[in-house]
């Protein structure tokens, strides 16, 4: 009899603890807030201090190997130099890797107030069109969000007017963040880069 009472007591205690635990989760969830961040990213591939750069070209895997029997070292050096120039000037293609260290500003002009930095990389994942996998950390440097960051991950199709990515986390005030990011070309072309408008909706 005593054993049965102990079992019932332990079961009741477990159910009570579970109810308190789930109630605490509900309470924490009710205190979450949604923040809208809006800024412009300056993606500069040209100029003396580019902030975006292709570091791997898909064509590099297809370069011909030099042969010691087809004209000597001088010809091989010339061919390699020509291939390198071709890689630097070739359009983006499958397998390209681009790194980013772009300014985030309040407005679209280059002299607009800076609010953060977008750092990350993109990998070209399509053989047709311009589609990349993007991982980007937006480190905020102004106002009440200074020192916090949010991280976006997603598929970027440059032919789409609006691209949507997932907010997968954050730091500081945006710890445990979830949400989504919308990007639009403001003044942009693939050869030189340009300005991208960004809206981030983050729940934290």
């Amino acid at each position: 009899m005593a054993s049965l009472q102990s079992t019932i007591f332990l079961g009741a205690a477990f159910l009570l603890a579970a109810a308190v635990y789930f109630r605490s989760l509900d309470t924490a969830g009710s205190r979450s807030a949604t923040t809208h961040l809006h800024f412009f990213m300056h993606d500069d591939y040209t100029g003396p201090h580019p902030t975006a750069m292709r570091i791997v070209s898909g064509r590099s895997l297809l370069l011909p190997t030099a042969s010691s029997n087809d004209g000597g070292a001088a010809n091989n050096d010339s061919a390699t130099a020509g291939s390198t120039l071709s890689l630097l000037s070739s359009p983006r293609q499958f397998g390209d890797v681009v790194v980013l260290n772009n300014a985030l500003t309040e407005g679209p002009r280059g002299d607009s107030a800076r609010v953060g930095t977008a750092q990350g990389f993109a990998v070209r994942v399509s053989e047709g069109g311009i589609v990349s996998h993007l991982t980007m950390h937006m480190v905020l440097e102004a106002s009440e969000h200074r020192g916090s960051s949010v991280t976006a991950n997603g598929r970027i199709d440059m032919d789409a007017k609006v691209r949507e990515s997932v907010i997968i986390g954050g730091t500081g005030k945006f710890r445990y963040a979830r949400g989504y990011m919308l990007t639009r070309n403001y003044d942009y072309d693939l050869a030189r880069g340009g300005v991208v408008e960004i809206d981030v909706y983050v729940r934290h």
Side-chain angles (χ1 to χ4, degrees):
M1 184 66 179
S3 176
L4 178 59
Q5 290 177 338
S6 297
T7 302
I8 294 174
F9 176 77
L10 290 175
F14 174 79
L15 291 175
L16 178 61
V20 171
Y21 173 75
F22 287 116
R23 176 60 180 171
S24 67
L25 290 181
D26 290 341
T27 302
S30 66
R31 292 197 302 267
S32 66
T34 299
T35 298
H36 175 208
L37 303 172
H38 176 255
F39 29 66
F40 293 84
M41 182 177 73
H42 299 262
D43 198 29
D44 185 8
Y45 284 89
T46 59
H49 303 290
T51 62
M53 181 179 297
R54 180 169 55 174
I55 60 170
V56 175
S57 173
R59 284 179 61 89
S60 63
L61 301 177
L62 305 177
L63 284 175
T65 56
S67 170
S68 60
N69 298 321
D70 60 0
N75 289 338
N76 290 338
D77 290 343
S78 176
T80 301
S83 297
T84 300
L85 290 174
S86 176
L87 286 174
L88 293 175
S89 61
S90 64
R92 296 188 189 179
Q93 56 210 320
F94 179 67
D96 287 355
V97 179
V98 172
V99 292
L100 311 171
N101 185 41
N102 295 332
L104 298 173
T105 61
E106 285 185 356
R109 292 172 54 91
D111 59 358
S112 181
R114 182 162 180 156
V115 297
T117 303
Q119 298 173 318
F121 64 92
V123 181
R124 173 79 178 275
V125 294
S126 67
E127 295 185 39
I130 307 296
V131 180
S132 299
H133 168 81
L134 173 70
T135 296
M136 185 169 73
H137 307 277
M138 290 162 281
V139 183
L140 305 178
E141 303 165 2
S143 70
E144 70 272 20
H145 304 309
R146 181 181 180 86
S148 299
S149 70
V150 291
T151 299
N153 200 325
R155 177 183 183 272
I156 301 297
D157 184 351
M158 293 302 293
D159 290 330
K161 184 177 181 180
V162 179
R163 285 91 61 178
E164 182 171 351
S165 301
V166 180
I167 298 299
I168 60 173
T171 63
K173 292 185 177 180
F174 298 118
R175 195 174 296 164
Y176 301 115
R178 289 293 184 268
Y180 63 97
M181 176 180 76
L182 302 177
T183 59
R184 305 171 181 84
N185 292 345
Y186 181 84
D187 180 16
Y188 192 91
D189 69 67
L190 290 173
R192 65 178 180 85
V195 181
V196 177
E197 185 175 8
I198 298 178
D199 284 284
V200 175
Y201 298 89
V202 55
R203 189 170 184 178
H204 56 98

